[in-house]
Amino acid sequence: MAEAFLKSSPSLKPAALPRASPSFRLRSSSLNSVRLRRVFDIFDRNGDGVITADELCEALDRLGLGADPSELRSLVASFLQPGQSGLNFDAFHSLHRELGDAIFGYNDGGEEEEEDDMMEAFRVFDEDGDGYISAKELQAVLGKLGLVEGRSIDRVYEMIGSVDRNHDGRVDYFEFKNMMKSVPVQIS
């Protein structure tokens, strides 16, 4: 089903994805669940524990990866359990795995690919490529995702301060990596 969706959705083909690479697939067992849960929680706009096709469509649009809503509804429906109105985390994980396999294939590269995944995630926030995540960059990414934290620069500075170990007002790669590995994520 995912492969058919990709063939009919040119905006989601690998060449059209920004910085598309095999590391899109969250392969690392140590970080996979944490990262995917964060993505799930961001996409679950109303916090009800499920992602509807509309929420997924809105999230993809905000990220510049828009998809045809009717095709997306069909894809999401193929992963729904009877009686569900949206994807719970397990169904979202299955959708992610199938899309990852369809786009990039599976390749378990271990620690080296885990490091590549982490660097790519850092680059999403480091929009100017200077090696640091500034308050302005963090606010821009949070805003693109429609998160309320991005509306207040004071809240953004607070977020940076919570991981900024050298107190320079920015987040470097090592601070980012430490944060990603140490922040607990609730799994419902």
Side-chain angles (χ1 to χ4, degrees), residues 25-56:
R25 178 157 171 81
L26 304 176
R27 290 172 303 276
S28 166
S29 59
S30 64
L31 294 176
N32 184 30
S33 182
V34 170
R35 287 191 221 161
L36 199 56
R37 185 63 200 204
R38 286 184 182 148
V39 170
F40 179 86
D41 290 341
I42 289 169
F43 286 10
D44 180 15
R45 299 282 296 170
N46 63 1
D48 65 355
V50 296
I51 299 173
T52 64
D54 290 338
E55 286 173 320
L56 186 56

Side-chain angles (χ1 to χ4, degrees), residues 21-102:
S21 75
S23 63
F24 169 82
R25 178 157 171 81
L26 304 176
R27 290 172 303 276
S28 166
S29 59
S30 64
L31 294 176
N32 184 30
S33 182
V34 170
R35 287 191 221 161
L36 199 56
R37 185 63 200 204
R38 286 184 182 148
V39 170
F40 179 86
D41 290 341
I42 289 169
F43 286 10
D44 180 15
R45 299 282 296 170
N46 63 1
D48 65 355
V50 296
I51 299 173
T52 64
D54 290 338
E55 286 173 320
L56 186 56
C57 194
E58 179 184 344
L60 292 173
D61 283 344
R62 287 179 183 269
L63 293 170
L65 301 172
D68 180 279
S70 63
E71 292 173 1
L72 194 57
R73 280 186 191 87
S74 175
L75 177 65
V76 167
S78 71
F79 286 87
L80 293 179
Q81 299 294 326
Q84 288 185 332
S85 61
L87 301 168
N88 62 20
F89 180 71
D90 291 337
F92 181 71
H93 186 271
S94 295
L95 170 64
H96 171 265
R97 180 179 297 131
E98 188 165 330
L99 284 173
D101 288 346

Side-chain angles (χ1 to χ4, degrees), residues 110-127:
E111 283 185 39
E112 184 177 323
E113 287 198 24
E114 180 178 321
E115 186 71 20
D116 290 344
D117 288 351
M118 190 71 72
M119 182 56 81
E120 186 166 341
F122 179 79
R123 286 186 194 121
V124 168
F125 290 90
D126 180 20
E127 292 184 326

Side-chain angles (χ1 to χ4, degrees), residues 134-136 138 152-162 169:
S134 68
K136 181 180 173 185
L138 179 57
S152 165
I153 193 67
D154 291 335
R155 177 65 181 122
V156 171
Y157 280 120
E158 187 180 310
M159 292 170 74
I160 286 179
S162 72

Side-chain angles (χ1 to χ4, degrees), residues 131-185:
Y132 299 95
I133 301 169
S134 68
K136 181 180 173 185
E137 289 170 321
L138 179 57
Q139 186 175 32
V141 172
L142 294 173
K144 286 177 187 175
L145 293 171
L147 298 174
V148 295
E149 291 88 346
R151 295 182 191 151
S152 165
I153 193 67
D154 291 335
R155 177 65 181 122
V156 171
Y157 280 120
E158 187 180 310
M159 292 170 74
I160 286 179
S162 72
V163 298
D164 182 16
R165 299 292 173 232
N166 64 1
H167 308 289
D168 66 355
R170 314 175 288 185
V171 177
D172 63 33
Y173 175 69
F174 297 104
E175 292 165 335
F176 176 82
K177 184 175 172 180
N178 185 49
M179 182 229 22
M180 291 294 286
K181 289 188 173 191
S182 65
V183 174
V185 174

